[in-house]
Amino acid sequence: MVRNHLHLMFAEMMATHKMCLLHHLHYVTIIDFGLLSSPTPPTKQKQELQKLQAALSCWGCFQAINHGILSLLLDKVLQVAREFFELPMEQEKIISKRVKEFEGYGGDPVPEEGQSLDWSDRLFLDVYPQVRRKPGLWPENPSSFRDVLEEHTARMRETTQLIPIEPLQGHWI
């Protein structure tokens, strides 16, 4: 963050560090997007933004509530993901990632020497910005996969526009 006064920067760093320590007591930070997008008292909005910043700094993720994305759409996302991972291996391998690539279908990268192997299959796709998309890696089966992912991506972009970016400089959303 760019600040005019070193003291403000230090105070914010200490507050973030304190919140990181508090996060160890919880599994995932819950962020109420309703507080970020509605006419909320500035104090509550600032507190929620500080929680968001701490979650991004400490964990890189959070659980959003009151985000406005319909549960029906979220159910569709889960359904097409489930259907994809239930396909025969031959169909999943059509969009396999290459050894040194992250995007596509496959296992997690091999850990460094000395790390334990925790194998999991995954499908990683860049969805935004559109210029980063690799349509050849987007599954054609199930047939609704692309439409559902496109709709989900559009709703997520709308949701992220609710967050005032200024206080979150240095964190990509």
Side-chain angles (χ1 to χ4, degrees), residues 5-171:
H5 302 359
L6 185 59
H7 295 292
L8 285 176
M9 201 165 84
F10 180 73
E12 285 184 7
M13 286 174 29
M14 291 306 293
T16 299
H17 178 69
K18 182 179 178 183
M19 290 191 80
C20 285
L21 292 174
L22 292 174
H23 285 282
H24 288 291
L25 303 174
H26 300 79
Y27 290 110
V28 176
T29 301
I30 297 173
I31 303 299
D32 186 344
F33 271 52
L35 294 176
L36 300 177
S37 61
S38 65
T40 306
T43 309
K44 286 191 179 220
Q45 188 177 55
K46 184 176 180 179
Q47 288 172 341
E48 205 65 15
L49 284 169
Q50 287 172 338
K51 277 178 45 182
L52 176 59
Q53 186 171 11
L56 292 172
S57 297
C58 300
W59 297 101
C61 65
F62 58 91
Q63 178 182 351
I65 61 172
N66 299 321
H67 46 67
I69 298 176
L70 297 177
S71 60
L72 178 63
L73 176 57
L74 298 175
D75 290 342
K76 285 182 188 178
V77 171
L78 289 173
Q79 183 61 38
V80 295
R82 189 175 296 117
E83 289 174 16
F84 172 78
F85 284 103
E86 289 173 352
L87 290 172
M89 183 68 73
E90 297 78 35
Q91 285 192 331
E92 293 173 343
K93 285 186 175 181
I94 292 172
I95 57 168
S96 289
K97 68 179 193 69
R98 295 191 180 112
V99 175
K100 297 202 180 229
E101 290 184 349
F102 197 73
E103 192 172 3
Y105 168 77
D108 286 333
V110 176
E112 295 181 23
E113 189 175 331
Q115 288 183 319
S116 60
L117 182 60
D118 185 16
W119 186 264
S120 64
D121 286 343
R122 62 162 175 79
L123 176 61
F124 182 89
L125 301 170
D126 273 330
V127 295
Y128 192 84
Q130 284 187 330
V131 296
R132 294 192 54 186
R133 290 183 185 175
K134 295 178 184 171
L137 294 177
W138 284 39
E140 293 182 13
N141 287 314
S143 59
S144 61
F145 186 96
R146 291 173 182 230
D147 290 339
V148 170
L149 186 58
E150 186 70 48
E151 183 180 355
H152 183 259
T153 301
R155 297 297 82 74
M156 289 298 297
R157 289 300 305 153
E158 290 171 6
T159 301
T160 60
Q161 299 304 316
L162 300 175
I163 302 170
I165 298 296
E166 180 67 28
L168 295 174
Q169 286 181 325
H171 297 282

